[in-house]
Amino acid sequence: MSKKIEAIVFDLDGTLINTIPDVIHALNHTLVTFGQTKIQADEIFGLIGNGADHLIRNAFKKYDVLLTEQELKSALDAYIAYYSEHPIVDTKIYPDVVTTLKQFKDDGIDLGICTNKSGSITRLVLEKLALNDLFSAISCGDEVSHPKPHAKHLFEVLNSMDANAAHTVYIGDSEVDRETAVNADITFIGVTYGYELTAKSSRHMINHFHELPAALTSLSSQGKSL
């Protein structure tokens, strides 16, 4: 017995696009603005995945600086302002993403995004990369009361898409993404080329984006295990 996949929801950073260089640029600009030194590229990975406020708060903690709420707001404003002015300097779409997403659309599969990235930056980046028209719903961490890994964030996307959770798959590159899918009881496919997951991180994994259609076909054929 097969089960048709009607909707796919994606994480953004590390899943569809590699934003690490521009995130580092914006973060280091913020750190220097507030009297700290720049971090190195390999230090970013333990900070991302839970939104810009988490990123900034924990970056300052590396220097034993505990930001007050007002200081955090000021730093966050500086981060978003810089990022908004330099959204895709070094950001790249991962190989095969555009052609694969367009094929999904042609096949009648609805596409959405569930990300903890800020809404203003997300929409700007998607517009600059000419990706925004591919998605019927986009939900960002600062636009919801319960961001990932809370199940409500993913369900908000499904509600906007009018999608059935039983016929939906969530794709992501982090433990936060995997936890989100588990919390929502939605099938998860992890990607190993992103920022965090490895081949053993989840039951269903892909190493390249072009492997996703075959992975979905395999899932669909499993029926109840979807």
Side-chain angles (χ1 to χ4, degrees), residues 9 17 44 47 96-97 100 103 146 164 184 188 197 210 226:
V9 181
I17 56 178
I44 194 74
L47 305 176
D96 303 307
V97 164
T100 304
Q103 186 60 57
H146 297 83
N164 185 333
F188 177 69
L197 297 181
H210 66 77
L226 174 58

Side-chain angles (χ1 to χ4, degrees), residues 84 87-88 93 122-132:
S84 297
I88 58 166
I93 304 172
T122 293
R123 288 172 174 78
L124 179 60
V125 168
L126 289 174
E127 178 185 358
K128 294 291 186 181
L129 295 174
L131 293 175
N132 51 325

Side-chain angles (χ1 to χ4, degrees), residues 168-189:
T168 299
V169 177
Y170 184 50
I171 317 295
D173 74 302
S174 72
E175 183 62 23
V176 170
D177 296 324
R178 191 195 66 79
E179 289 179 12
T180 303
V182 169
N183 292 338
D185 195 23
I186 288 175
T187 300
F188 177 69
I189 296 179

Side-chain angles (χ1 to χ4, degrees), residues 3-224:
K3 183 173 284 191
K4 180 177 173 58
I5 295 173
E6 300 173 351
I8 309 171
V9 181
F10 297 91
D11 171 55
L12 183 59
D13 294 13
T15 300
L16 298 178
I17 56 178
N18 181 5
T19 58
I20 284 291
D22 288 321
V23 169
I24 291 175
H25 295 330
L27 179 59
N28 278 336
H29 169 81
T30 304
L31 288 169
V32 170
T33 298
F34 287 84
Q36 307 303 321
T37 58
K38 296 180 179 180
I39 67 169
Q40 301 301 309
D42 60 357
E43 297 180 271
I44 194 74
F45 294 99
L47 305 176
I48 55 178
N50 285 288
D53 55 347
H54 178 275
L55 168 71
I56 292 168
R57 190 189 298 276
N58 285 282
F60 276 89
K61 279 184 180 179
K62 283 182 169 289
Y63 301 100
D64 296 322
V65 176
L66 299 180
L67 298 176
T68 65
E69 289 304 311
Q70 184 56 50
E71 289 170 337
L72 176 62
K73 182 181 183 304
S74 297
L76 182 60
D77 288 346
Y79 173 85
I80 291 178
Y82 183 91
Y83 204 159
S84 297
E85 293 175 2
H86 311 85
I88 58 166
V89 175
D90 294 308
T91 290
K92 303 295 182 185
I93 304 172
Y94 285 115
D96 303 307
V97 164
V98 175
T99 54
T100 304
L101 293 181
K102 287 182 176 178
Q103 186 60 57
F104 287 146
K105 294 284 286 184
D106 290 343
D107 292 341
I109 297 176
D110 207 6
L111 308 178
I113 287 179
C114 181
T115 176
N116 276 340
K117 200 177 188 71
S118 70
S120 60
I121 298 299
T122 293
R123 288 172 174 78
L124 179 60
V125 168
L126 289 174
E127 178 185 358
K128 294 291 186 181
L129 295 174
L131 293 175
N132 51 325
D133 289 341
L134 292 171
F135 304 97
S136 62
I138 299 168
S139 182
C140 305
D142 60 349
E143 300 172 341
V144 297
S145 59
H146 297 83
K148 296 187 301 183
H150 203 290
K152 284 186 176 181
H153 192 176
L154 188 49
F155 284 135
E156 289 209 17
V157 183
L158 298 188
N159 290 338
S160 296
M161 299 168 70
D162 195 24
N164 185 333
H167 297 270
T168 299
V169 177
Y170 184 50
I171 317 295
D173 74 302
S174 72
E175 183 62 23
V176 170
D177 296 324
R178 191 195 66 79
E179 289 179 12
T180 303
V182 169
N183 292 338
D185 195 23
I186 288 175
T187 300
F188 177 69
I189 296 179
V191 304
T192 62
Y193 57 78
Y195 303 158
E196 185 176 330
L197 297 181
T198 66
K200 296 181 180 180
S201 297
S202 186
R203 178 183 176 190
H204 306 295
M205 301 292 299
I206 59 173
N207 298 314
H208 306 280
F209 199 84
H210 66 77
E211 298 172 357
L212 183 55
L216 294 173
T217 299
S218 177
L219 277 176
S220 182
S221 68
Q222 295 173 25
K224 292 183 179 181

